[in-house]
Amino acid sequence: MSKRGFFGHPGGLSTLFFTEMWERFSYYGMRAILILYMVAPLTEGGMGLPVSDAGAIQGTYSALVYLMTMVGGWFADKLLGLRRSVFWGGVLIMCGHISLAVRGAGTFYLGLLLVVLGTGLLKGNISAMVGQLYDRDDTRRDAGYSVYYMGVNLGGFLGPLVCGWFAQQPAFKALLGSWGFSPESAWHFGFGAAAVGMFLGLVQYSLARGRFPDEADRPLGIANQAEHRVAWRQFLIAVGAAAGAVLVTAGLHAGGAVTVSPVGFAGFVDVVLVAVTIGVFVWFFAAGQWTPEERTRLIVIVVLFLGATVFWAGFEQAASTLNLFADRNTANTIFGIPYPASWLQSVNSAFIIILAPVVGLVWLWLGRRNPSSPAKFAFGLLFLAAGYGLMIAASLLAGESGRVSPMWLIGCYFFQTIGELCLSPVGMSAMSTLAPARMQGLMMGVWFLAISIGNKVAGRVGGMYESLPLPSLFTANTAFVLVFAVGLALLVAPIRRLMARAS
Ligand code: PHE
């Protein structure tokens, strides 16, 4: 391992910082233009989809991205180890964005699929690699994760600026025209920029191979060669089954027995997510011989799970509802100069970079009065609701098709970012503190399930942009989140008592 440091941290941290920065650059850069591309009319180079379809597709795509992190974790544990899984994940992501850069429905859906698979391999495993850089009792570990989180948000900040500029800025379209390209193809240059970002991340990652401990190269979840073979066999059977299912469905579709469509698939994924959630929680309650106290704690986990799901369902509408509001109802000029609507997708990351240290200081300053994690959940929801509250006013001001100052969205993202800083960093650990020891491993999956369902719902709600008056849409969001915030706030004291007993 290299001894050269990075802000007093192991050198490998700088590699992972920049790899994840470029990965998030590509993810959030592409996400910033995704729904706008889907709903843009064909004459403007878009897909001309109805908003409800675009929302359904966006939600399905991002839900599967986070659902796949569980499969990606299994893959690294049993088959390839962390370092290689992250590498191949990055390769798939890059290929996905290249596919999106080529116009066509086929390349579009193939691109989304590749980004889903690639992010599943990369996102969870790269954060596990951060942990591996430190010995068990190294006190720098938490600080290491904070530095890494800055990389995440630096990427989330730059991606929308770059990809959004290529996809939407009139100046670039004019440039395309003067080069003999059609200006409507600008979207695909935006997607291409995401691919270039992931490529740079991969180059930088490959050059730094020696910076990681040996464990990063071993699948740690298997004991010997025989187990490794069994795992590979299981994997190949699963891939074969998936390929078979795709072929059979394609055959039935071709024969006219069923009609397969992206929106139909979105409905199928709705059902899958509901079934998985019910399955997981039924299993929770039915499987073990829980003591009465453990049973009570499981109920609390269900409550926190619901809180987290509601939070992400509101928060992730940044990419759907709020992105559409930026595009259609916001006056996007700064000092009279127009900028792309997708640039507002950078605001959340910018606020994280600015506010994360501030919020950290507030918790320190509060010392013993530092709120418990369920209280932070309730605050997270409250701030999210406050953000949507602002949007009720903004949408009333905008009327049917008017445009309001970008300060409304910036204000909304300000509150939502504070909400994110309350809930996101403590979320998973709050749930695993309550969980009995034998189900710790599962809690990571449950946390990602909440994010996944949240993304799904966020897409669906964004799909209502045209069918509901905007003030009603934002009021519904505010009220829904507020109900959960208040409900959770009432449960803070009893949950705290339970958690105190748990630790
Ligand atoms: N924005 C952060 C990231 O992309 C945290 C986050 C993860 C938020 C997953 C929502 C869902 O890593």
Side-chain angles (χ1 to χ4, degrees):
M1 256 202 285
S2 159
K3 288 275 171 276
R4 267 193 313 151
F6 180 62
F7 295 123
H9 285 270
L13 186 65
S14 98
T15 304
L16 299 177
F17 177 99
F18 288 110
T19 310
E20 180 60 348
M21 182 194 90
W22 284 118
E23 186 270 331
R24 291 286 98 182
F25 171 98
S26 70
Y27 181 77
Y28 286 115
M30 177 274 214
R31 193 186 85 147
I33 55 176
L34 181 59
I35 202 163
L36 304 181
Y37 167 69
M38 286 192 278
V39 300
L42 293 166
T43 51
E44 289 170 20
M47 294 177 82
L49 292 178
V51 169
S52 57
D53 291 7
I57 295 166
Q58 157 109 31
T60 305
Y61 156 72
S62 49
L64 292 180
V65 160
Y66 289 112
L67 205 60
M68 268 297 145
T69 51
M70 292 183 239
V71 179
W74 182 89
F75 189 93
D77 262 8
K78 301 277 184 182
L79 302 181
L80 268 199
L82 293 171
R83 193 181 61 78
R84 288 191 192 88
S85 300
V86 166
F87 176 78
W88 288 109
V91 170
L92 288 177
I93 292 171
M94 182 183 70
C95 293
H97 293 301
I98 292 174
S99 187
L100 286 162
V102 179
R103 181 163 178 84
T107 48
F108 176 76
Y109 293 113
L110 175 66
L112 294 187
L113 175 69
L114 291 173
V115 177
V116 163
L117 297 176
T119 314
L121 272 180
L122 188 147
K123 179 83 170 125
N125 292 328
I126 194 170
S127 33
M129 280 181 84
V130 174
Q132 274 190 350
L133 295 173
Y134 303 89
D135 291 334
R136 193 169 267 287
D137 44 7
D138 195 325
T139 48
R140 295 173 302 170
R141 178 193 301 260
D142 283 356
Y145 271 104
S146 300
V147 172
Y148 165 81
Y149 199 51
M150 288 293 145
V152 164
N153 285 291
L154 202 54
F157 173 69
L158 295 173
L161 295 183
V162 174
C163 299
W165 187 82
F166 280 113
Q168 288 197 295
Q169 187 68 349
F172 179 67
K173 291 188 185 173
L175 214 55
L176 275 181
S178 70
W179 291 339
F181 288 103
S182 83
E184 297 78 53
S185 62
W187 296 109
H188 300 283
F189 287 83
F191 294 131
V196 172
M198 192 65 252
F199 174 75
L200 295 175
L202 276 172
V203 169
Q204 172 290 134
Y205 182 70
S206 319
L207 291 177
R209 239 188 249 194
R211 284 180 145 180
F212 303 109
D214 293 340
E215 313 148 48
D217 274 321
R218 278 199 312 265
L220 300 174
I222 48 155
N224 51 45
Q225 281 301 319
E227 275 186 40
H228 204 197
R229 270 196 300 277
V230 171
W232 269 111
R233 202 173 309 135
Q234 288 170 340
F235 176 69
L236 292 176
I237 291 173
V239 171
V246 170
L247 281 179
V248 169
T249 316
L252 291 174
H253 178 80
V258 293
T259 318
V260 182
S261 68
V263 176
F265 181 68
F268 169 73
V269 175
D270 285 340
V271 176
V272 169
L273 282 176
V274 171
V276 169
T277 310
I278 294 177
V280 166
F281 284 104
V282 165
W283 182 81
F284 263 23
F285 283 97
Q289 266 84 51
W290 311 120
T291 62
E293 174 168 339
E294 281 175 335
R295 211 169 276 281
T296 324
R297 285 203 245 138
L298 284 176
I299 295 171
V300 177
I301 288 177
V302 176
V303 172
L304 291 183
F305 175 84
L306 272 176
T309 306
V310 170
F311 180 84
W312 295 117
F315 183 84
E316 292 285 330
Q317 283 179 57
S320 55
T321 320
L322 297 174
N323 203 9
L324 289 168
F325 191 86
D327 199 50
R328 299 179 172 186
N329 299 97
T330 304
N332 296 305
T333 55
I334 182 161
F335 308 123
I337 305 164
Y339 62 85
S342 39
W343 276 17
L344 287 165
Q345 294 290 307
S346 290
V347 173
N348 164 247
S349 285
F351 275 138
I352 290 272
I353 294 169
I354 300 167
L355 294 174
V358 180
V359 171
L361 279 178
V362 170
W363 299 148
L364 266 182
W365 174 68
L366 284 173
R368 273 189 42 240
R369 282 172 303 145
N370 189 352
S372 63
S373 23
K376 286 180 180 169
F377 262 62
F379 278 124
L381 287 163
L382 215 55
F383 281 112
L384 182 70
Y388 277 119
L390 269 186
M391 294 313 293
I392 303 176
S395 60
L396 285 170
L397 268 178
E400 276 282 303
S401 56
R403 288 177 182 268
V404 296
S405 156
M407 287 313 289
W408 289 101
L409 273 177
I410 293 174
C412 170
Y413 288 133
F414 173 79
F415 284 118
Q416 297 199 347
T417 306
I418 300 182
E420 178 183 356
L421 286 168
C422 290
L423 182 139
S424 186
V426 298
M428 192 160 64
S429 68
M431 281 163 57
S432 45
T433 307
L434 285 159
R438 57 213 137 144
M439 51 203 291
Q440 285 304 319
L442 211 75
M443 290 320 292
M444 174 103 149
V446 171
W447 178 246
F448 275 109
L449 185 62
I451 297 179
S452 180
I453 301 172
N455 272 275
K456 193 79 179 78
V457 175
R460 288 280 182 206
V461 178
M464 297 175 194
Y465 201 85
E466 285 172 356
S467 52
L468 272 184
L470 283 187
S472 316
L473 188 59
F474 288 124
T475 307
N477 265 328
T478 312
F480 193 68
V481 177
L482 207 54
V483 165
F484 277 86
V486 172
L488 204 58
L490 293 176
L491 289 173
V492 165
I495 295 179
R496 249 182 61 187
R497 275 198 295 277
L498 272 169
M499 286 178 83
R501 258 188 285 165
S503 53

